[in-house]
Amino acid sequence: MTPPNIVLIMADQLAPQFTGAYGHPVVKTPNLDALAKRGTRFDAAYCNSPLCAPSRASFMTGQLVSRIGAYDNAAEFPASIPTFAHYLRTMGYRTCLSGKMHFVGPDQLHGFEERLTTDVYPADHAWTPDWQNPHERIDKWYHNMESVQQAGPAATTFQIEYDEEATFLARRRILEYAMQGTSPFAMVVSLIHPHDPYVPKQEFWDMYPDDVIDMPQTGLAGDPHTMRLHKGIGASETPVTEDEIRQARRGYYANTSYFDSKVGEIVKALEEAGELDNTVIIITSDHGDMLGERGLWYKMNFFEHSARVPMIVAGPGVANRTVGEPVSLLDILPTFLDIASGDSEPPEAAMPLDGRSIWPLMTGAEDDPEAGEVLGEYCAECASHPIFMIRRGPWKFIHCEVDPPQLFNVIDDPFEQENLANDPSHSARLAAFQAEIAQKWDERTIRNDVLASQKQRGPVHKAMEIGALTSWDYQPVRDAAQEFVRNHMDWTVAAEKTRFPPYSIK
């Protein structure tokens, strides 16, 4: 029996709290809603490193960033590390990537047989942070408050153009797979929205009048990590007005609905190709967006709005339910192996995996919110030491050597306003988490490795900027001589081959 196709659609910086599918009263996400209505919605899904490139490397490999050295947005993702795309190819799948994956380094495929677009961000070491000077801003690429201050509609942006292209090419390839009888296939469609800047198309902006926009529920928190991030994104020097906050949230909501519309286009393509009933569809994101909560914006922390991600799954065999058990992007690779192997044993992983298959949870296994565990690491900008997170049951523990510990019950306190690490009644739980951190991670070694990696990349990037540029940025393969109608083709044959469904005599 042929295993199902797999289509994963990934947003960038989409917090589930700001979607209709997860209960937001304002944001319209009808296509996510429809998938959740017939599939499984995970209510405690997390990224494992709340920044684009490290989160995606971890997601692709099923491994924590400290294991693979993909610490930040300019750390190379080594070509020798197997990804789910490698494994799926060996299991008979055609593998395809359309859109962003923020691979850093000369390998821009990482197991995908084909890639339909270039990436939206650079593939070199330019965005390397410096933990020796953690308070030094690199204004060329560090987040600042312009995204909040300049929110508003536009006819187009580089992000809109990118997502239009990535969706169009993905739709075309799905229909080509149907024409060619290609099965099974695994496709990742990875879009840049609703990532800041918060600049949507007018039609989506108009969906959200100012008077329906809800404001952040929490003010600026005073803990050292929050204050460091507040300074790092320029919020300390550039206070924003209530109107600017409202406009930024309006733009984010509009771009969330735009992303949802692209989900609808991909689902429609699968339906037109006759593959919808044989395709497992997964919707997720690389991380979330604080969107003003705690006085913070963007990501780079393990608070709920930054670290939680949507995860909605629909398709053959998928149960219709919600799951409260904590899961993470690390779980995607082993889950894909289970989906692809069917009743057979999945192949043995070539490297230790830090995730687990959640296919049983997708297909009806007991949901135990007390059982799941999520681990997280952050080793990038706006920090000087590794930050670790453990989410287990209702508890979240955040640890950094230079910050006070943070312990939250995220079920009772979803906005993380009460740090229970300071509560004597939780001293035993705090001590147990601290001991677990010491057992799981060697903080000093990891910090030294991060510092060495940052130092090592410096001369490489400096040299690459001198003389002729040999770019690592992906160049999509295209042969115009084989497209549409050419002189070496019979146009009637070309028309017949590219018509789907094919013409049939009645």
Side-chain angles (χ1 to χ4, degrees), residues 478-489:
R478 183 170 181 178
D479 183 359
Q482 305 301 322
E483 296 182 352
F484 303 110
V485 177
R486 298 294 182 261
N487 283 335
H488 65 282
M489 305 173 187

Side-chain angles (χ1 to χ4, degrees), residues 329-342:
L329 295 180
L330 284 175
D331 301 328
I332 293 294
L333 186 153
T335 301
F336 280 179
L337 297 188
D338 267 2
I339 294 172
S341 59

Side-chain angles (χ1 to χ4, degrees), residues 251-269:
Y252 183 90
Y253 293 177
N255 278 335
T256 297
S257 291
Y258 172 80
F259 167 77
D260 180 80
S261 75
K262 296 300 161 189
V263 170
E265 290 180 28
I266 298 300
V267 172
K268 183 178 180 181

Side-chain angles (χ1 to χ4, degrees), residues 121-136:
Y121 288 155
D124 61 17
H125 298 316
W127 295 4
T128 302
D130 182 2
W131 275 12
Q132 299 281 26
N133 300 289
H135 302 297
E136 182 178 310

Side-chain angles (χ1 to χ4, degrees), residues 157-185:
T157 65
F158 76 87
Q159 298 197 160
I160 292 170
E161 295 301 316
Y162 189 81
D163 283 355
E164 291 293 323
E165 178 179 309
T167 306
F168 169 79
L169 293 175
R171 177 189 177 276
R172 184 166 74 176
R173 182 61 86 242
I174 288 169
L175 291 170
E176 287 172 346
Y177 283 154
M179 294 174 197
Q180 299 159 4
T182 299
S183 182
F185 61 85

